[in-house]
Amino acid sequence: MGFTIMQGLMLVLLIASTMAVSIARPFGNSINTQSSNKIIVGDTHHWNYGFNYIEWATKHGPFYLNDTLVFKYDPPTPKTFPHSVYLLPNQESFIKCDLKNAKMQGNTKQGAGNGFEFVLKESQPHYFACGEHDGIHCLNGTMKFSVTPIDRTYR
Ligand SMILES: *[C@@H]1O[C@H](CO)[C@@H](O)[C@H](O)[C@H]1NC(C)=O
Ligand SMILES: *[C@@H]1O[C@H](CO)[C@@H](O)[C@H](O)[C@H]1NC(C)=O
Ligand SMILES: [Cu+2]
């Protein structure tokens, strides 16, 4: 008796796992290709003063390793304010928009055309900010956001 119940259970488990595999497969394949995405920062707003990038990043996430962030911004002209892309060293500098130990990634001209591309290579927090006007664009213009890319293969 116990044996047949056990067999029945095994059968149910076997069917369940087969179904799970066939359901999971299309999703699994898309993960295994390790394809990476190109994401335009700010979508149609591009990289500009006054848009809330923290909110944008929260809505848009999660971000994955090897994803490419594309920063689009106009080159400096007499009529436009220049922008740039910096990485801030830690959360404290991010909160304060303190550029002291920040590293420039994209200069004021690199956002033109197809934009400045940054590939997320490390699974650690990345604190992005505009470096113009001594951090005013970051602080008053909310041109900052953080991203911690995750590894697709662990999903
Ligand atoms: C990221 O891309 C590199 C090659 O450009 C590759 O070696 C690596 O496995 C990729 N990592 C992920 C998590 O896709
Ligand atoms: C930025 O914001 C601070 C505090 O809100 C304000 O004192 C300062 O005048 C602003 N600066 C600019 C250039 O808007
Ligand atoms: Cu700016």
Side-chain angles (χ1 to χ4, degrees), residues 47-49 81-84 130-132 137-138 143:
W47 185 232
N48 279 306
Y49 190 94
F81 291 109
H83 302 295
S84 56
C130 177
E132 299 312 295
H137 280 204
C138 171
M143 294 185 76

Side-chain angles (χ1 to χ4, degrees), residues 18-35 152 155:
T18 310
M19 279 170 68
V21 164
S22 61
I23 289 164
R25 184 154 289 159
F27 193 51
N29 280 349
S30 72
I31 290 169
N32 290 341
T33 56
Q34 296 205 339
S35 63
R152 279 179 199 281
R155 274 193 63 193

